[in-house]
Amino acid sequence: MSNDFVPDKNVKIYDGPAGGWGALSASFQILNQEKAINAIPALMKMNQPKGFDCPGCAWPEPGKTSITEFCENGVKAIAAESTSKRINIDFFESHTVESLKCWSDYDLEQQGRLIEPMAYDEATDHYTPISWDDAFQLIGEQLRVLEDPDQAVFYTSGRTSNEAAFLWQLLGRTLGTNNFPDCSNMCHESSGVALTESIGIGKGTVQLEDFEEADLIFVIGQNPGTNHPRMLSVLQQAARRGCQIVTFNPILERGLEKFIHPQEALQMLTGTSSSISTHYFQPTIGGDLALLQGLIKAVLAAEETQKNILDKEFIENHTSGLLELREEIGKTDWSVIESESGLSRTKIEEVASLYCESKKVIACWAMGLTQQKHAVSTIQHIVNLLLLRGNIGRPGAGVCPVRGHSNVQGDRTVGITEHPNESFLRNLDAQFGISSPRNSGFNTVQAIQAMESKIVKVFMGMGGNFARATPDSSRTEEALAKCELTVQVTTKLNKTHLAHGKKALILPCLGRSELDVQASGEQSVTVEDSMGVVHSSRGRNQPASENLKSEVAIVVGMARAAFTENQKIWQALQDDYSLIRKKIEAVLPELFEDYNEKITQPGGFQLYNSAAARKWNTKTGKARFITKPLPILEVPAGKLRLMTIRSHDQYNTTIYGLNDRYRGIFGTRRVILMNFQDMASLGIEHGQKVVIESHMEDGRKRQVSGFHAVRYNIPQGCAASYFPETNELIAVEYTADRSFTPISKLVPVTVHKSSE
C-alpha cells in the first residue's frame, strides 16, 4: 500500500446515494479483479430457496425472493470465494512467514484460495504441505497429551454452519472443555446479556414482516449501507409508506440518508434516490445511554400531562421494575443528559413526541452500541423505552439487534458458548454417552489472557481471523505464539495464520458456495439469520480444489484422531448431515422438532421466540425495566473519543479493496476522521500525517503511525478510524461491563503530528 497521501486524490466529496450505479460498478470491478468465472451463476443461486446462503451478513431473505437476491457486499463475498487465484506450494516456498508478516491484510486477501493443508516448519520458517491424515494425527496427539482439557480453546467464526458448529462443540466437550470463545464475544455479546436479563432471551423479537407495519423505526449505532446493504431496501419501503425512521449515529452515513435500489429500473434510469432517515441526529461517541434516558424522561413527563401515553395494561400484566425506573430517571437532570449525549433537550423531546405518537415501534442497533463500556445498560434502556408503550411482543414492533456474520446467531443456538445451560449438556451427554464439563469456559478476552500466561496450549480456530478481530493485535499474536499448537480452518490466508504456535496447521475448507459431496451424496447445511429463521444452504460451484474438505469432515477427522470411542458415530455424521440435524433435534427438541422436514420448506422455519410470544423467562417472570445511574464519561482535555469503523470495501476483517466510497476515502485505509475544530486546536492540517496514541489504564504505550488526518463531519471531541488497523490501540482488558466485549467505540486517544 502506498504511503503517498494527497488529499485531493485520496479524499473526495461523495454526494451520491447509496446503492445505484456505484454499487453495480463496484460489483463488476470485484468480479473482474478476482477473475471469478463461477461467481455469476453462483449469484443467481445465492439466498434462493434451493440455493446457498450468502456468506456475508445475517440479514434475512424475504418470503418471496427476487431473481437477484443479493447486494454489493454479497457480490464481493462470492467473488472472493469464487476467485480463480490460488495459493500453491510455490507461494509458500517463495515467502517465509516472517516476510509475510509485513504484508497488509488486503495483500494477503488478494493471493486467493488455499488448496491444500499446510504445516509450519520451524527450521525453515516456511509453511510446507502436509497430508490430511498426518494433520489429523498431529491434532489428535496434541489433544491427548494435554494435562487438562481446559488447555485447549475452540474458537468459532460466524460463517460456520449449524452442523459444523454442533460437531465443533461436541468435539470440545468430548475432550472435556467449555472453552468456546467466538465472534459473538466481540460483537453482540452485550445484546445477548442485556436482552436475556430484560426479556428472557438473548435474541431480537421482530420478523421481516414487522417492518411492513411499523410506524417508527429507530436505527441506533448502525451503518446498514456498508454492513447490511439489503436492509436498505426494507427501510426504503418503510419510508415510502410514511414510516418515520430516526437515526442516531455520530457520523452521517450515506446509506441512512439516501438510497437507489440497484434492482429498481426506474430509479436507476432516472437517478431518483429515496430518502431513508426522516430524522438524523449525531450524538457524541458514547452518548447513546444519555439520549435514551432523555427519551424515557420525556415520555414519562408526557404521561404526567396527557395520562394516556403508557400502555398501562401491558405494564401491569407483563413488566416489573417501573417504579425503580421512574425514580432513577427522575434523578437525572436535563443538563447532564444534554452534556453527555451531545444533543439538546429540544431534539430529544422532538424524538420522544414522535415515539408517543407512534403505535408500532422497532428499535435496531449494531456494534455502535454493543462495543461501548456501558453497552449492556444502553441496550436495556432501549428495552425500557419500548416496554413503556408495549412495543415488544406484537406485530410491527420489537427489538432488532442486527447481527453480522451469516450464522453467528445459529452457532450460539446449537451450543457454541462458554456458559452452556444444564438442559443442553444433559441432553448432549445422553445422546453421545459423554460427560460434558459443567464449569464455565473462556470467552475471547479470557482466552487471550490464558494463552498469554501459557495456561492454554492449543488454539483451534474454525474460520475467522482471530488476531485481527481481537483487541491489542500484537499482544494477541504474541499470545498465540506461546501455544504448542495452533490450527486454523479457513479458505484464505490471513494475518492470524502468521501468528503461529510452535506447531501450526492451516486446513483449507470448502466455501459456502461450493458443492459438498459425502458418502451419502450431496449435502446441505443450515444457518440461522438475524431474526431466528433457520433455512437450508446447498453450494453449487465446483470446489476450488479436489483436496479441500468440508468443515464437517475436518471436525470429524480431528475427532477420530483424538478419541478411540464412537468412531463409527463420528463417521456416520460426516457421511450424512441429516444425522447431525437429528442429533441437534434430540438435544434441542423445543427448537428443532422435525428439523430435517422443516428445512425442505421454502425459506425454512422460525425458531420459537419466548419474548415475541410475551413469555418472559426472567427472574421475575416478567419483562424487566432495568436501570442504573447515568455514568459521566469524562475524557481528559486534549484527548479525543475514537471509534473504530469499517470501510465500504471490507467485511469484518476481510479487506476487499482500499476504497470507502460512501465516505469519500479512496486508495487508502490509514486515515483518522476528525472534526475541523479539533484539527485547528491541535494545529493539524487536512491530509497531514499523524500518530494516534491511546490511553489505557494499564499504562502500556499503544500507538499507530502512518495515518493521515481527514476533515470530516463528526462531533467535536470525536474521531473515527478503520479496524483492524486501529485494534492495536485497545487493551485486551478494556471491555464492556458484564459482557466482556472489547470496547472499540470509545477509545481515549491523542493525535500528534508525525515527525516523519
Side-chain angles (χ1 to χ4, degrees), residues 633-647:
L633 304 177
E634 295 180 339
V635 176
K639 295 182 175 62
L640 302 177
R641 302 179 181 202
L642 175 75
M643 67 176 183
T644 67
I645 57 176
R646 296 173 182 168
S647 81

Side-chain angles (χ1 to χ4, degrees), residues 298-353:
V299 171
L300 293 175
E303 172 65 19
E304 291 295 320
T305 58
Q306 300 178 42
K307 305 298 182 183
N308 61 348
I309 300 299
L310 304 188
D311 187 334
K312 299 179 182 63
E313 181 180 356
F314 173 82
I315 290 171
E316 175 66 26
N317 294 329
H318 290 282
T319 72
S320 63
L322 179 58
L323 178 60
E324 292 83 356
L325 177 70
R326 283 183 183 273
E327 291 177 350
E328 189 57 55
I329 295 296
K331 296 176 186 176
T332 309
D333 190 79
W334 271 110
S335 63
V336 176
I337 290 172
E338 288 180 307
S339 64
E340 287 299 303
S341 68
L343 300 177
S344 68
R345 176 177 178 175
T346 300
K347 290 180 178 179
I348 294 173
E349 288 181 333
E350 176 188 353
V351 177
S353 294

Side-chain angles (χ1 to χ4, degrees), residues 50-62:
K50 294 184 179 181
F52 63 92
D53 192 66
C54 177
C57 78
W59 190 254
E61 285 74 61

Side-chain angles (χ1 to χ4, degrees), residues 52-89:
F52 63 92
D53 192 66
C54 177
C57 78
W59 190 254
E61 285 74 61
K64 184 178 181 181
T65 58
S66 67
I67 191 172
T68 51
E69 195 61 50
F70 54 82
C71 66
E72 179 184 343
N73 272 12
V75 174
K76 290 174 181 175
I78 292 304
E81 191 165 281
S82 303
T83 182
S84 60
K85 302 174 187 176
R86 301 287 183 266
I87 296 180
N88 54 30
I89 183 59

